[in-house]
Amino acid sequence: MTLPFNPYQEIASISDRFASGDGEYLTTIEGLAISRRSTPSVPCHGSYRPCFAMVIQGAKSVQLGADTINYGPGHYLLTSLDLPVVWRVVEASPETPHFCLTFAINGERLLDLLSRAGIRQPNVPASGQRGIVVNHATPELLDAAVRLMRLLDNPGDIGAMAPLIEQEILYRILTGPAGGQLINIAVADNHGNRIARAIAWLRENFARPLRIEDLAEHVSMSVSSFHHHFKTITAMTPVQYQKRLRLHEARRLMLVEGLDAGNAGHRVGYLSPSQFSREYSRLYGVSPARDMDAVREAVAAE
């Protein structure tokens, strides 16, 4: 398929109108967001939820565990389960700002499409793949993305047309090179699905003490198999994953709720303030106190 127009140019034009300044913009289409940056960014810590993300201009870098994933126009990034990451925009300018579209993947709609479309599970499970992968965007996928963006200029069509285009985007992903990975996470009794269930438990219970044996039993896996598949998919051990969740939440508590380091660390499960400060500094490169001082100074300077 050859498109009779430049999809990136058209999406960038629409994005420029609906994201007029730097930041993240939720659109009137459920699950669709636009990100704009006019300069390269510093590393940002956060979590990626299941989504399809496409860079339209500029370039971006995502770090998952020890892996670094780079992508730009011509590629899309697929995140198939909840993962703590470090991301940064590596290429952007005021003249050519970085634009990225993010479309959340709804698990129930994905399963419904799988049952109706008759898409078969791959003969070889995608258990060797990370929970984040980058692939080339096909003309068919780009065409669907353009038509979804065009709906922003025709809000009366969103209710009827957006769900249909969402199905098409999911279908293009499922039948593309990353389809096996997404199916492996969605279908019950696969290793990927069991790891996804373990991650859901960790996100809800990250402040509790973690016993790998109990979590492996919770998702019906042996300890060795659970540890192997968890690290293969997330690029982290379960303990490392829990630590990232704790530290991200502690930083949020200090930034948003104004807690001091001691109370924030205790709230997320740390019994030792010194251990919390040490692990916080290892992840963020600065102590909790200095991190909060830097944030306050940046806010005061604006």
Side-chain angles (χ1 to χ4, degrees):
M1 178 181 182
T2 301
L3 298 179
F5 55 88
N6 185 324
Y8 297 103
Q9 188 176 61
E10 182 169 354
I11 294 176
S13 177
I14 298 172
S15 299
D16 188 53
R17 296 199 304 276
F18 288 90
S20 56
D22 284 3
E24 310 289 332
Y25 294 81
L26 296 177
T27 72
T28 50
I29 298 173
E30 181 186 359
L32 177 65
I34 303 170
S35 173
R36 177 179 183 143
R37 295 287 186 279
S38 58
T39 59
S41 69
V42 298
C44 302
H45 295 259
S47 293
Y48 277 9
R49 300 296 177 92
C51 70
F52 154 79
M54 182 183 293
V55 168
I56 306 305
Q57 287 184 171
K60 197 170 185 178
S61 173
V62 177
Q63 185 177 340
L64 175 67
D67 296 350
T68 299
I69 304 162
N70 300 299
Y71 69 114
H75 297 88
Y76 69 91
L77 179 141
L78 177 68
T79 305
S80 54
L81 68 174
D82 296 356
L83 294 169
V85 299
V86 182
W87 63 267
R88 66 187 182 99
V89 173
V90 297
E91 185 180 316
S93 69
E95 297 76 22
T96 308
H98 165 83
F99 284 121
C100 182
L101 305 183
T102 303
F103 195 69
I105 294 176
N106 183 294
E108 292 183 1
R109 294 172 190 167
L110 175 64
L111 287 172
D112 178 65
L113 177 60
L114 280 170
S115 65
R116 290 186 292 103
I119 300 173
R120 295 185 177 181
Q121 184 177 346
N123 292 329
V124 179
S127 56
Q129 291 184 335
R130 295 294 194 218
I132 293 180
V133 293
V134 169
N135 285 292
H136 286 283
T138 63
E140 292 81 4
L141 184 56
L142 284 168
D143 181 53
V146 170
R147 285 184 279 110
L148 185 69
M149 290 294 290
R150 287 173 181 166
L151 292 179
L152 295 176
D153 288 321
N154 299 280
D157 295 339
I158 290 176
M161 299 304 298
L164 300 178
I165 301 175
E166 175 188 1
Q167 284 192 22
E168 182 178 351
I169 289 174
L170 286 176
Y171 179 79
R172 298 301 181 190
I173 294 172
L174 285 168
T175 55
Q181 178 210 24
L182 198 54
I183 294 171
N184 191 46
I185 298 296
V187 176
D189 295 328
N190 280 350
H191 287 132
N193 180 265
R194 291 173 179 171
I195 298 304
R197 283 165 26 216
I199 284 175
W201 188 93
L202 282 170
R203 294 194 72 88
E204 293 176 2
N205 301 279
F206 61 81
R208 295 173 56 180
L210 174 62
R211 291 190 72 252
I212 302 300
E213 296 82 359
D214 293 342
L215 188 52
E217 183 179 357
H218 177 70
V219 295
S220 303
M221 296 179 73
S222 69
V223 171
S224 59
S225 178
F226 171 70
H227 196 278
H228 168 73
H229 288 287
F230 193 101
K231 190 169 185 179
T232 297
I233 292 173
T234 69
M236 288 169 269
T237 66
V239 172
Q240 290 170 332
Y241 187 100
Q242 182 199 44
K243 188 182 299 182
R244 291 288 180 94
L245 293 180
R246 285 181 166 184
L247 294 172
H248 286 180
E249 174 61 11
R251 191 170 193 266
R252 188 197 70 80
L253 290 171
M254 290 186 290
L255 286 172
V256 178
E257 300 188 20
L259 270 64
D260 60 32
N263 284 322
H266 182 74
R267 179 85 68 86
V268 300
Y270 282 93
L271 301 179
S272 166
S274 61
Q275 182 186 6
F276 168 67
S277 181
R278 185 168 57 251
E279 294 186 354
Y280 190 101
S281 300
R282 188 176 299 127
L283 178 62
Y284 292 107
V286 64
S287 69
R290 289 187 177 180
D291 191 18
M292 293 303 104
D293 287 343
V295 171
R296 285 190 286 269
E297 289 175 4
V299 171
E302 292 181 354

